[in-house]
Amino acid sequence: IEIQFGINGERYSVIGTHGPHGTDRRSHWEKMRKIVEDRIEEGNKVVLIGDMNVTANPHIDRYNWKADRHTEVEAYSELFTSA
């Protein structure tokens, strides 16, 4: 879900997402990165909201972090380094 609006000459995109469970998590975040990059290129400030279902730091955020490959963490983290 996405809502775009303007306030005081600034353009915003508020994007709501629900990070999936299962095997397609990395591809979800790669798609979200493309959407976020496109909105930034259009001149929008981006607000990403929702249930991400990502462990940002598996060493401190999850009890059994060694058993999970965390393939989505890198793709999710790239959302915040691309802008």
Side-chain angles (χ1 to χ4, degrees), residues 2 27 42:
E2 179 177 7
S27 93
E42 293 167 1

Side-chain angles (χ1 to χ4, degrees), residues 40-57:
I40 290 171
E41 287 178 16
E42 293 167 1
N44 294 330
K45 295 184 180 201
V46 176
V47 179
L48 187 62
I49 62 172
D51 182 355
M52 307 308 177
N53 284 321
V54 172
T55 304
N57 185 335

Side-chain angles (χ1 to χ4, degrees), residues 54-63 65 70 73 76-77:
V54 172
T55 304
N57 185 335
H59 298 282
I60 63 175
D61 293 338
R62 185 177 282 171
Y63 172 72
W65 64 272
H70 303 290
V73 173
Y76 174 78
S77 298

Side-chain angles (χ1 to χ4, degrees), residues 9-79:
E10 297 284 346
R11 292 174 31 198
Y12 294 87
S13 290
V14 177
I15 302 169
T17 187
H18 182 268
H21 295 280
T23 60
D24 62 345
R25 294 184 291 182
R26 181 174 179 85
S27 93
H28 172 80
W29 292 112
E30 289 170 347
K31 290 174 189 172
M32 288 303 303
R33 179 179 181 185
K34 174 70 172 127
I35 292 168
V36 168
E37 287 175 343
D38 288 348
R39 296 311 174 267
I40 290 171
E41 287 178 16
E42 293 167 1
N44 294 330
K45 295 184 180 201
V46 176
V47 179
L48 187 62
I49 62 172
D51 182 355
M52 307 308 177
N53 284 321
V54 172
T55 304
N57 185 335
H59 298 282
I60 63 175
D61 293 338
R62 185 177 282 171
Y63 172 72
N64 192 18
W65 64 272
K66 290 182 181 181
D68 189 344
R69 292 182 27 212
H70 303 290
T71 58
E72 79 282 3
V73 173
E74 183 178 316
Y76 174 78
S77 298
E78 289 171 357
L79 277 170

